[in-house]
Structures are given as structure tokens and as C-alpha cells.
Amino acid sequence: MNANLDFDVLYAVLAEWPRVKLPTGVQDGVFDRILQMLTLYQAQDGAAVSSDFISLLRQVLRRHTLQTETTARLRVPALSMWPTRDQWAQFGIRVLIVTEN
């Protein structure tokens, strides 16, 4: 994927995780850190998603909500390395969990 990581590309990456080619660029510093972490998670197959990553996603969701004046949502994988719906909720994030293809 040659696109810059922004909210829409992040949505697509997470919805297709882990069988997705990561973007090569980023929109800003927050997305740069998210891309670094996604690259690490993809390289370390099975590594658990950290609370720092969840916090970054919350920041991106909040910013997107403020920019678009609509509730931002992401689709995330239902894999053991990813938080459960309840764990996401502890960070104030509502998610729709999709099963692995």
C-alpha cells in the first residue's frame, strides 16, 4: 500500500489485519507512531496490542470526530492479540469487532 496513513487508511488496515500491506507514509506524528506500532505488531506475529496503541487510536478517533462532527468508528480484528470489546470500552472506545476472514 503506497498511501499515507490517515484515518481512512487506518480503518482499512485494521479491518483487513493482519493480512494487509502497511502504508509507506503518514499524515502526521500521531499516525507515524501508530504506523511504527503496527509494523512491530505485524513483524512480531501474536504480540499483544499495548495500552499506548489503544490510547493513540482513541486520540485519532476523537480528532476525527471533532473534524467531521460525526462519531468516528473503527473495525478491529477479533484476534487474541487484540483487546476484547470490554477492554476497548475501558479506554472509552466503542468498536465493532469483526471475525478473521
Side-chain angles (χ1 to χ4, degrees):
M1 178 178 293
N2 291 326
N4 282 339
L5 186 62
D6 61 13
F7 187 83
D8 294 330
V9 173
L10 178 63
Y11 185 97
V13 165
L14 294 179
E16 296 296 323
W17 189 266
R19 294 178 304 274
V20 63
K21 185 171 179 173
L22 295 174
T24 56
V26 295
Q27 179 181 354
D28 60 30
V30 173
F31 284 106
D32 183 42
R33 184 64 184 132
I34 289 172
L35 181 58
Q36 291 172 17
M37 296 177 95
L38 287 172
T39 301
L40 176 69
Y41 296 144
Q42 203 170 52
Q44 296 179 351
D45 188 31
V49 171
S50 71
S51 59
D52 290 341
F53 182 74
I54 298 169
S55 296
L56 288 168
L57 290 183
R58 185 179 191 282
Q59 172 65 26
V60 166
L61 286 163
R62 178 74 178 135
R63 181 171 59 181
H64 190 75
T65 295
L66 290 172
Q67 290 173 343
T68 63
E69 298 181 359
T70 62
T71 302
R73 293 195 171 102
L74 292 172
R75 294 174 55 133
V76 296
L79 303 172
S80 61
M81 66 185 263
W82 289 82
T84 64
R85 182 186 310 264
D86 292 339
Q87 290 168 324
W88 285 108
Q90 290 174 356
F91 285 83
I93 300 174
R94 290 178 45 196
V95 295
L96 169 65
I97 298 179
V98 295
T99 58
E100 190 175 0
N101 296 332

